[in-house]
Amino acid sequence: MSVAFIFPGQGSQAVGMGAELAKAYPEARAVFAEVDEALGQDLSRLMWEGPEDKLTLTENAQPALMAVSLAAMGVLARTKGVKLKDRVAYVAGHSLGEYSALAAAGALSLADTARLLKTRGRAMQEAVPVGQGAMAALLGADLAQAQGLAKEAAQGQVCEAANDNAPGQVVISGAKEAIERAIALAPKFGARRAVLLPVSAPFHCALMQPAAEVMRGALQDVAIKAPAVPLIANVLASPISDPEAIRARLVEQVTGMVRWRETMLFLKANGATTVYEIGAGRVLTGIARRFEGIEARSVGTQEELEAAAQALAG
């Protein structure tokens, strides 16, 4: 059976993340130092000491989560001898995690990835005034039901499926009033529950178009190489390796739906039935375990990293 590495998105951040890796491994410390230098910011101190409200800001959370993922990758590659192209069939990342996946696969430099995510986070935050957008998780509804709900709730405003995460777990995004209408209508469309999410902006919907344009400009002059292994793109749920295709998909990703359920099904169908979530938290590990036939493991602590290195050795 082959292996895929997957990389977490926003929401997995927590004060203290990465501190254990930095203490234990020089390779991890080097990654955090390079990210700090690239941003001209003591991001690692914010990650390890807080305050939480500042870490949770989109422009900080995005590069911070990437830094933890790449710190773990640095240890796996340099200390444990785990070569991506020899041990892994595909990489994928949830939203900002797509950038982590590309950096891990050598398509983007670490410094460029940090700067791009800082820009992306700021642009996404600024695209919609605070309080005018919202997101909600629909539990028990499938994608078709979520799309039907979003269409009825829109009433001329933006209301769209943003993340198709797993069977029975779809997130919608859009104008606050439209999302509130969708929550009220949710039982009619088969949702067991509809939960407003504690996010600062309506990600992955048409309201993010200003941020997409910012990223189009930011990505224009960044060097992108073919990744060491194919990337399963969020907006396609299928593999790409061409640098110009990657550049285009990263722009589309800002407003496009994260097709994570289909990504998991693609990995399973193509034999990558063991997935390692590289970085902070266990959100994607939990989602992956909802797919029968997929084994999921987290790689965010020293103990988890050592176990993964042993399993991937040879």
Side-chain angles (χ1 to χ4, degrees):
M1 297 296 178
S2 62
V3 166
F5 279 5
I6 59 176
F7 297 83
Q10 202 163 335
S12 292
Q13 70 275 359
V15 173
M17 66 180 187
E20 182 184 22
L21 299 183
K23 185 176 180 181
Y25 305 107
E27 294 79 9
R29 289 196 295 277
V31 168
F32 294 125
E34 187 173 344
V35 169
D36 286 351
E37 184 177 356
L39 297 179
Q41 176 187 4
D42 197 351
L43 183 64
S44 55
R45 183 174 180 179
L46 174 61
M47 290 161 57
W48 301 334
E49 299 178 11
E52 185 177 9
D53 60 342
K54 190 173 179 183
L55 175 62
T56 303
L57 290 174
T58 304
E59 67 176 81
N60 292 326
Q62 293 199 15
L65 284 162
M66 180 278 299
V68 179
S69 292
L70 270 291
M73 283 297 305
V75 176
L76 283 174
R78 298 185 189 97
T79 302
K80 306 301 179 183
V82 176
K83 290 184 167 55
L84 195 77
K85 61 180 173 48
D86 295 338
R87 303 299 301 153
V88 176
Y90 302 102
V91 293
H94 195 286
S95 191
L96 83 89
E98 191 154 271
Y99 285 79
S100 306
L102 287 166
L108 289 169
S109 74
L110 178 60
D112 281 343
T113 307
R115 288 188 287 263
L116 284 168
L117 285 174
K118 186 77 173 177
T119 299
R120 182 179 184 268
R122 187 178 292 130
M124 292 173 85
Q125 185 63 65
E126 293 174 351
V128 179
V130 173
Q132 291 190 16
M135 299 180 76
L138 305 177
L139 306 179
D142 63 23
L143 178 59
Q145 290 169 319
Q147 289 173 327
L149 168 61
K151 184 176 180 181
E152 182 161 328
Q155 295 182 21
Q157 294 181 302
V158 171
C159 187
E160 301 171 7
N163 303 335
D164 181 18
N165 286 329
Q169 189 190 116
V170 183
V171 174
I172 56 173
S173 181
K176 184 181 179 184
E177 296 89 346
I179 297 300
E180 289 171 345
R181 286 192 293 269
I183 290 172
L185 287 166
K188 175 183 171 183
F189 286 85
R192 189 174 68 253
R193 285 180 65 206
V195 182
L196 198 66
L197 297 179
V199 295
S200 55
F203 304 131
H204 298 290
C205 74
L207 294 175
M208 287 289 111
Q209 189 57 41
E213 295 308 320
V214 169
M215 292 313 297
R216 190 187 308 279
L219 285 157
Q220 190 171 354
D221 298 322
V222 170
I224 301 178
K225 301 176 183 176
V229 299
L231 169 81
I232 311 301
N234 281 184
V235 297
L236 301 175
S238 59
I240 55 173
S241 293
D242 176 72
E244 293 313 308
I246 290 168
R247 198 185 308 272
R249 300 298 86 75
L250 287 176
V251 175
E252 292 172 12
Q253 184 228 52
V254 178
T255 56
M257 183 175 71
V258 177
R259 296 168 63 177
W260 197 254
R261 176 182 59 85
E262 293 172 87
T263 296
M264 290 292 102
L265 292 175
F266 176 91
L267 293 175
K268 180 180 174 181
N270 288 274
T273 53
T274 301
V275 299
Y276 288 83
E277 180 179 8
I278 312 293
R282 295 176 175 84
V283 172
L284 298 184
T285 302
I287 290 175
R289 287 174 177 164
R290 298 179 64 175
F291 292 83
E292 188 177 349
I294 292 182
E295 180 184 358
R297 304 175 185 178
S298 299
V299 186
T301 66
Q302 183 179 1
E303 182 181 354
E304 291 169 344
L305 198 152
E306 295 291 342
Q310 189 171 357
L312 292 163

